[in-house]
Amino acid sequence: TASGQAALHLGLATIAGAGSHIVSSGALYGGSHNLLHYTLPRFGIETTFVKPRDLDAWRAAIRPNTKVFFFETRLRKYPFFLKSMIAL
């Protein structure tokens, strides 16, 4: 929903400002992917997408300016995603 995407944008923008980097799972809800791939770069926030189960890829994607790990889990019985952020 629009309010959910606004909340996600606010949360990420609060933790990661211009010049920051995010490491994210590549398996995302379309709206979340669009936010990370298209919108946040306009604010100077770059995202590297990795395979969700490849721990070596997550480690390799970390940069000195990485502020957040982001991933989502689709709940089986419900038609929505649980969004998770780990601030560094």
Side-chain angles (χ1 to χ4, degrees):
T1 65
S3 61
Q5 287 306 298
L8 177 58
H9 187 172
L10 180 61
L12 289 172
T14 298
I15 297 168
S20 295
H21 176 251
I22 296 170
V23 180
S24 174
S25 165
L28 300 175
Y29 164 71
S32 300
H33 180 270
N34 287 340
L35 176 70
L36 292 164
H37 187 74
Y38 298 106
T39 305
L40 291 182
R42 294 174 38 208
F43 297 93
I45 302 171
E46 186 179 355
T47 302
T48 299
F49 295 95
V50 296
K51 292 182 180 179
R53 294 183 176 160
D54 187 346
L55 295 180
D56 290 331
W58 285 86
R59 286 186 199 101
I62 297 171
R63 300 179 188 170
N65 61 336
T66 299
K67 302 293 183 192
V68 177
F69 288 137
F70 180 78
F71 54 95
E72 295 177 328
T73 302
R74 184 155 196 271
L75 302 176
R76 290 179 186 229
K77 295 183 180 183
Y78 304 99
F80 58 85
F81 289 79
L82 175 64
K83 299 173 188 322
S84 301
M85 290 183 261
I86 299 172
L88 303 177

